[in-house]
Amino acid sequence: MDNCIFCKLANHEIPTNVVYEDDKVFCFYDMEPQAPVHVLLIPKKHIACLDDLKAEDVEIISHLMLKVKEIAEKLGLQEGYRVVSNNGDLAGQTVKHLHFHILGKREMKWPPG
């Protein structure tokens, strides 16, 4: 998508602090961190939200979910971490590109919001 900031980041049109990248996913540090470690993991394919996932996206989404553990280990989050995906306006999704927040290095409270 032409105006999607996450697509621009994944395409290296905008510089960012990259944590991990392969042909399917891109992970980078959040610009407004809510924890000592706060990164965003996105598919490189533009998918607006969880509701827009299709059966053909199963390989991408499963790859993305498997990368969460690898990225958490790389970031030293073995004691625990939280993975969050906001879906839609009422949930607080501000960028319409599917993304997962990986947060750690602090105690997470419940309920979260």
Side-chain angles (χ1 to χ4, degrees):
M1 178 166 265
D2 291 340
N3 293 326
C4 175
I5 191 163
F6 286 179
C7 287
K8 289 180 180 183
L9 289 166
N11 290 327
H12 300 277
E13 296 171 33
I14 300 172
T16 190
N17 194 349
V18 179
V19 174
Y20 177 83
E21 178 177 14
D22 64 27
D23 61 325
K24 293 181 180 68
V25 300
F26 187 73
C27 182
F28 55 98
Y29 283 92
D30 193 293
M31 297 285 289
E32 297 178 15
Q34 302 300 306
V37 172
H38 186 171
V39 298
L40 301 176
L41 178 61
I42 67 170
K44 285 189 171 181
K45 175 183 177 183
H46 183 85
I47 301 167
C49 63
L50 288 167
D51 289 344
D52 287 351
L53 285 169
K54 297 181 177 23
E56 66 206 40
D57 298 321
V58 69
E59 185 179 338
I60 293 169
I61 199 70
S62 61
H63 180 74
L64 194 146
M65 291 286 90
L66 290 171
K67 288 298 170 184
V68 168
K69 176 185 173 188
E70 182 180 316
I71 291 164
E73 284 179 6
K74 177 180 179 176
L75 296 172
L77 303 178
Q78 289 84 352
E79 291 186 40
Y81 56 93
R82 180 169 284 165
V83 179
V84 177
S85 183
N86 301 319
N87 191 69
D89 294 335
L90 285 178
Q93 184 181 8
T94 57
V95 178
K96 304 305 185 219
H97 185 120
L98 179 64
H99 59 284
F100 294 86
H101 299 258
I102 303 171
L103 303 112
K105 293 286 186 182
R106 73 167 171 84
E107 184 179 353
M108 301 291 162
K109 303 293 183 187
W110 195 261

